[in-house]
């Protein structure tokens, strides 16, 4: 049977507020356990939550960016369950009146088309702490630093049809929240965590199949793999005539499989009800419009502008616009170099390669964009060959400094004096008389291949400093002239 | 002899008739002496109180003022006091010492008041008789075989018994007003949001409100002035400005309109308290107040609605007492379930468990609409009833309770009978209105209380009516015979 995959994602985005959503404690990642948890976070008796309005502004920013309906009234509810890292015994969340209602975003499919994915809602809630099960001699440790960190839970419509689409959606979401500056988007630190709802149905059937939810997947790669392995598992069951159990599952990246965590019957009755410690939050149109007017240029708009303004291909424009930092970096390079195409090539080529090797984000790039722009300028004015430019790039990367200073210090200036080049070539030709004979006897097709030998010898003799275009031209003139 | 009202003590301190150290020493001695009689205190802070009293005396000598400088008083044991054990009368918090101060405690401290200790109460403020305390029942100073009312029974008994001139209380469904009535003192439940709840251990967040308890309305005006005001750390705290309550006291009552709810007075529910209440109405009439019939058609639904909403909120407010971070933890838990189950089973008393179960049930999937949502609808209707009534009147008068104090043990077997104690107080709580209980007579030798309720943030109206009433009656000057007895 032909099966259709139905996927919906619930993404928890940690908002980059300086303090927690309902207390004044700091939200910095990586502090010593329980040093960033105040009396409110510890749920000490008599402590009360006070809503951090910065979280509201961030949620509304997100809502505006996905063209969503923003609710004028948001209500915080208590979601009740017992767990040691949930100090109050309930999580403050939003059930019936989330801050952000229906919106959407567009993803690019592999065939080059775009697909619009609906977003059902995005609501504010607080994060729980962490339970640590190792190093406590059979007991568990509780770290409440994360308890009370603001989260925006973004729920998509079940409109994703493959693991690839799910990843594209997640990447787009990542790109939007980082563009907006509402989250650092660092998945390795849990700033973005994803629950994947997966089901299958016979192609053409309208009714959804029974779904499972894979909890807390924390990288793009794992989202793709987890969904793929879950699709495979469900398909095996269905093909064998079995049925899917509605349940929560966990993805084990080591075994590349999902396994059951709890079934629907074991699910908590969360006993949601409006939190009487918090008043409903009211915002008016002016508040929303003020935030909307301050939105930065978003990835889709930037991509279109890059293609038009810089004459880049859609693909290049899309890659460069995917992250705000990369786009900003590219634009700074471009501003200095005045050559968009070459700038794009260097940012997406050599720079990306080095970042990759160093496992670095562009925000941690040791090479200032201005220097890369200057490097490109030196290629354009023939000071450097592209091979020499790569050497300078490496030095800049490793030791920093200024492009011109490095060129000066290392004597890397390209030789463009034609009499000097002619002298070197005369020597090369004199030393390789038999190859010269062969070249002259060959036809055009063979000559095209053989010229490389002479170029190579000449570049070697010049210690790489001769301008390759000039070398090529002079060689052809001397060999054929 | 020292005077026993806030006003007279502050005057005595100011005139130099006695020092704070002297009166504090005397009250600590009385509190210790009467502890076996009334069981009004859970914790007495002799050392801290005497140090604070000496500090207050020193401050007064150096010319410093402070609204309550040197005044000894007590806190109900649900107001967190930094460094001083705060138990909520529960085994769960038997050894809990807060590292922080409730806003109410901080305000009293700033005003220079001297806290001598923490008063007994119904566990987590759940109860109408003060029999639900891990530290034992409180006894009524008028007759120690009778309950003092609850949940602020220890505060009421401490004031009535002459152990302190004033104490803080908290009122969720009547927990200040009912014990004030039973013990023959004055007590005020302010408008919801008037007094900060920060550091006041929660029972039902949408109803809980701290307030003062003392002998006279004059004293309540002084105390409320210290307690009231916006607290940014409590999101439900009101921005409303705090008026000078004492200034309102002298306003005449003439021409004020007071409503008598038909549903109470015509239905003959005033019961045993009727003679006292009728006499109070006559007194107020003689002062020029006009009485009009009003209708509060939904108040009969108040008790059922209250006993859904309050338990629902308490069932989740008390989830934090899980044995993980502080409070009682069972010995040798075998796993997480066991840790939760036994810590809570051992830490909470029967009434607390009953309300947690009722509330959990009311919020459960499939029951939410029938119970919690329905109760909230009733709550809205009751608010509307009062809003309608206050179009026509300045205040509403009723008894505080159907009768005077009952015997210890008399109602413990039947929780519903106990809940019906709250029949006149809970409608006001559900509406969030300010309400005053003052002594209005005696019934079989036990005090009877009068309840006056005003519109939102009109505590001044209550002060005015209450004080004028007390200027023309002497019920508030009656003291139980055991009070202040010599050794």
């Amino acid at each position: 049977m032909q099966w259709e995959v139905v996927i919906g994602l619930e993404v928890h985005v940690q908002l980059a507020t300086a303090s927690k959503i309902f207390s004044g404690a700091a939200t910095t990642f990586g502090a010593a356990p329980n040093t960033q948890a105040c009396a409110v976070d510890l749920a000490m008796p008599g402590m009360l939550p006070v809503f951090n309005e910065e979280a509201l502004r961030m949620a509304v920013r997100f809502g505006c960016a996905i063209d969503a309906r923003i609710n004028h009234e948001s209500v915080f509810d208590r979601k009740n369950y017992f767990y040691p890292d949930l100090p109050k015994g309930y999580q403050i969340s939003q059930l019936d009146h989330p801050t952000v209602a229906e919106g959407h975003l567009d993803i690019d499919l592999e065939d080059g088309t775009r697909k619009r994915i609906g977003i059902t809602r995005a609501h504010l809630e607080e994060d729980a702490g962490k339970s640590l099960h190792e190093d406590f001699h059979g007991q568990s440790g509780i770290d409440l630093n994360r308890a009370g960190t603001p989260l925006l839970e973004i729920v998509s419509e079940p409109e994703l049809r493959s693991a690839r689409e799910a990843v594209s959606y997640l990447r787009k979401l990542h790109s939007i929240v980082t563009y907006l500056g509402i989250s650092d988007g660092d998945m390795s630190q849990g700033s973005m965590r994803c629950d994947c709802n997966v089901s299958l149905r016979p192609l053409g059937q309208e009714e959804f199949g029974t779904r499972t939810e894979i909890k807390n997947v924390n990288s793009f790669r794992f989202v793709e793999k987890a969904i793929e392995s879950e699709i495979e598992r469900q398909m095996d069951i269905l093909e064998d005539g079995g049925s899917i159990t509605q349940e929560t599952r966990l993805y084990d990246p080591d075994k590349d499989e999902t396994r059951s965590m709890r079934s629907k019957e074991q699910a908590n009755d969360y006993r949601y009800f409006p939190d009487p410690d918090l008043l409903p939050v009211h915002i008016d149109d002016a508040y929303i419009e003020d935030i909307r007017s301050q939105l930065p240029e978003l990835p889709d708009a930037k991509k279109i502008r890059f293609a038009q303004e810089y004459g880049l291909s859609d693909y290049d424009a899309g890659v460069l616009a995917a992250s705000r930092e990369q786009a900003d970096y590219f634009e700074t390079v471009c501003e200095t170099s005045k050559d968009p195409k070459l700038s794009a090539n260097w940012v997406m080529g050599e720079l990306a390669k080095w970042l990759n090797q160093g496992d670095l984000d562009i925000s941690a790039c040791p090479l200032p964009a201005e220097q890369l722009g200057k490097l490109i300028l030196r290629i354009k004015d023939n000071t450097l060959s592209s091979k020499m430019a790569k050497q300078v790039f490496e030095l800049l990367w490793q030791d920093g400094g200024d492009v011109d200073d490095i060129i000066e210090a290392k004597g890397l200036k390209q030789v463009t004096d034609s009499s000097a080049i002619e002298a070197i070539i005369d020597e090369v030709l004199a030393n390789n008389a038999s190859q010269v004979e062969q070249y002259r006897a060959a036809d055009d097709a063979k000559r095209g291949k053989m010229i490389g030998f002479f170029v190579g010898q000449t570049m070697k003799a010049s210690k790489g400093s001769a301008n390759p275009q000039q070398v090529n031209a002079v060689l052809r003139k001397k060999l054929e002239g | 002899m020292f005077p026993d009202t806030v006003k007279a003590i502050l005057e005595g301190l100011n005139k130099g008739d006695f020092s704070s150290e002297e009166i504090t020493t005397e009250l600590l001695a009385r509190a210790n002496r009467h502890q076996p009689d009334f069981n009004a205190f859970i914790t007495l802070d002799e050392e801290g109180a005497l140090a604070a009293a000496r500090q207050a005396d020193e401050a007064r000598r150096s010319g410093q003022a402070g609204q309550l400088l040197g005044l000894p008083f007590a806190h109900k044991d649900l107001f967190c006091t930094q460094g001083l054990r705060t138990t909520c009368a529960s085994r769960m918090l038997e050894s809990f010492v807060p590292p922080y101060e409730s806003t109410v405690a901080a305000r009293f401290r700033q005003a220079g008041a001297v806290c001598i200790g923490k008063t007994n109460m119904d566990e987590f403020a759940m109860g109408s008789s003060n029999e639900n305390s891990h530290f034992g029942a409180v006894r009524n100073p008028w007759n120690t075989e009778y309950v003092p009312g609850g949940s602020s029974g220890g505060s009421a008994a401490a004031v009535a018994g002459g152990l302190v001139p004033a104490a803080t209380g908290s009122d969720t469904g009547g927990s200040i007003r009912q014990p004030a009535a039973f013990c023959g003192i004055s007590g005020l439940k302010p408008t919801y949001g008037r007094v900060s709840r920060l550091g006041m251990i929660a029972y039902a967040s949408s109803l809980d409100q701290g307030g003062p308890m003392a002998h006279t309305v004059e004293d309540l005006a002084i105390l409320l002035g210290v307690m009231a005001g916006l607290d940014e750390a409590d999101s439900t705290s009101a921005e409303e400005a705090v008026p000078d309550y004492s200034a309102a006291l002298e306003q005449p009552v003439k021409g004020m309109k007071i409503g008598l709810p038909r549903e109470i007075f015509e239905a003959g529910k005033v019961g045993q308290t009727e003679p006292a209440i009728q006499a109070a109405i006559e007194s107020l009439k003689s002062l020029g107040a006009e009485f009009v019939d009003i209708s509060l058609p939904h108040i009969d639904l108040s008790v059922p609605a209250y006993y859904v909403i309050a338990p629902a909120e308490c069932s989740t407010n008390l989830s934090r007492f899980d044995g993980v971070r502080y409070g009682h933890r069972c010995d040798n838990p075998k796993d997480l379930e066991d840790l939760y189950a036994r810590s809570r089973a051992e830490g909470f008393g029967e009434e607390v468990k009953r309300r947690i179960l009722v509330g959990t049930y009311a919020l459960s999937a499939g029951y939410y609409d029938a119970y919690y949502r329905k109760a909230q609808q009733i709550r809205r209707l009751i608010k509307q009833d009062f809003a309608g009534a206050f179009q026509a009147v300045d205040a509403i008068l009723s008894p505080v309770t159907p009768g005077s104090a009952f015997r210890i043990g008399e109602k413990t077997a039947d929780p519903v009978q106990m809940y019906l104690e709250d029949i006149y107080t809970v409608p006001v709580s559900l509406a969030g209105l300010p309400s005053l209980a003052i002594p209005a007579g005696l019934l079989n030798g036990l005090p009877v209380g009068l309840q006056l309720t005003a519109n939102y943030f009109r505590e001044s109206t209550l002060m005015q009516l209450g004080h004028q009433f007390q200027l023309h009656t002497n019920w508030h000057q009656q003291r139980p015979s055991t009070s202040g007895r010599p050794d």
Side-chain angles (χ1 to χ4, degrees), chain A residues 42-43 45-46 49 78 80 84 87 269, chain B residues 100 199 235 316-317 325-326 340 365:
Chain A
L42 295 171
R78 291 184 182 177
N80 295 286
D269 176 358
Chain B
Y100 47 84
S235 311
T316 97
N317 277 337
R325 296 168 311 288
Y326 52 77
Y340 286 150

Side-chain angles (χ1 to χ4, degrees), chain A residues 223-435:
Chain A
V223 165
E224 185 165 354
K225 295 184 76 170
I227 292 175
E228 270 169 1
S229 82
E230 180 58 16
I231 291 171
E232 209 172 305
R233 188 188 71 88
Q234 291 191 14
M235 205 178 290
D236 286 349
I237 293 172
L238 293 170
E239 292 281 356
D240 288 347
S243 58
I244 305 300
T245 312
Q246 186 174 336
E247 61 185 356
T248 304
R249 301 181 68 83
L250 273 182
Y251 176 66
D252 180 345
D254 296 330
K255 293 183 179 154
D256 190 22
E257 63 180 28
T258 66
R259 61 165 179 272
S260 180
M261 195 171 131
R262 59 170 182 260
S263 72
K264 193 186 171 190
E265 287 70 37
Q266 295 166 286
N268 280 308
D269 176 358
Y270 291 122
R271 291 174 285 123
Y272 278 100
F273 80 111
D275 190 333
D277 285 331
L278 291 160
L279 301 174
V281 180
H282 294 276
I283 50 175
D284 57 17
D285 286 328
Y287 181 93
I288 299 166
E289 290 317 311
D290 178 53
I291 288 175
R292 197 189 303 281
S293 70
Q294 291 172 43
L295 283 186
E297 185 184 34
L298 290 166
D300 286 349
K302 192 160 286 204
K303 179 183 168 183
I304 292 167
R305 180 169 66 81
F306 277 10
Q308 285 171 350
E309 194 176 319
Y310 298 122
L312 301 178
S313 70
D314 272 358
Y315 177 81
D316 287 0
V319 171
L320 289 170
S323 103
R324 183 176 178 172
E325 272 140 350
Q326 177 162 270
D328 288 349
Y329 192 98
F330 161 72
E331 289 209 278
T332 309
V333 174
C334 225
E335 214 169 279
T336 315
S337 74
K338 313 287 181 214
D339 189 325
K341 190 70 201 143
L342 217 45
S343 298
N345 288 348
W346 275 83
V347 171
M348 291 163 61
E350 197 69 9
L351 183 74
K353 187 182 90 185
W354 280 84
L355 287 171
N356 229 339
Q357 279 168 5
D359 196 20
L360 289 175
D361 188 78
I362 193 148
S363 59
C365 178
L367 178 60
E370 291 78 7
Q371 289 299 323
L372 182 54
K374 212 166 167 185
L375 185 68
I376 293 167
L377 268 185
R378 295 293 162 261
I379 299 168
K380 288 178 64 185
D381 68 10
N382 285 326
T383 307
L384 296 174
S385 66
S386 56
K387 189 174 171 201
M388 292 161 88
K390 284 183 185 172
Q391 272 177 267
V392 176
F393 183 97
E394 187 173 345
L395 290 166
L396 280 171
W397 182 278
Q398 278 157 359
D399 309 325
D402 179 77
V403 170
D404 288 336
D405 293 346
I406 292 172
I407 292 171
E408 195 64 42
K410 302 280 172 184
L412 283 168
K413 226 170 178 130
Q414 183 168 237
V415 178
T416 52
D417 174 355
S418 48
S419 62
I421 289 175
E422 281 194 38
I424 297 168
I425 287 178
D426 287 342
E427 203 184 322
V428 168
L429 296 183
N431 291 341
N432 296 286
S434 62
Q435 282 87 345

Side-chain angles (χ1 to χ4, degrees), chain A residues 59 81 87 94 145 172 206-207 222 225 321 376 397 416 421:
Chain A
Y81 65 96
Q94 297 175 332
N145 282 352
K172 192 51 159 291
E206 205 159 308
E207 202 187 322
F222 288 167
K225 295 184 76 170
I376 293 167
W397 182 278
T416 52
I421 289 175

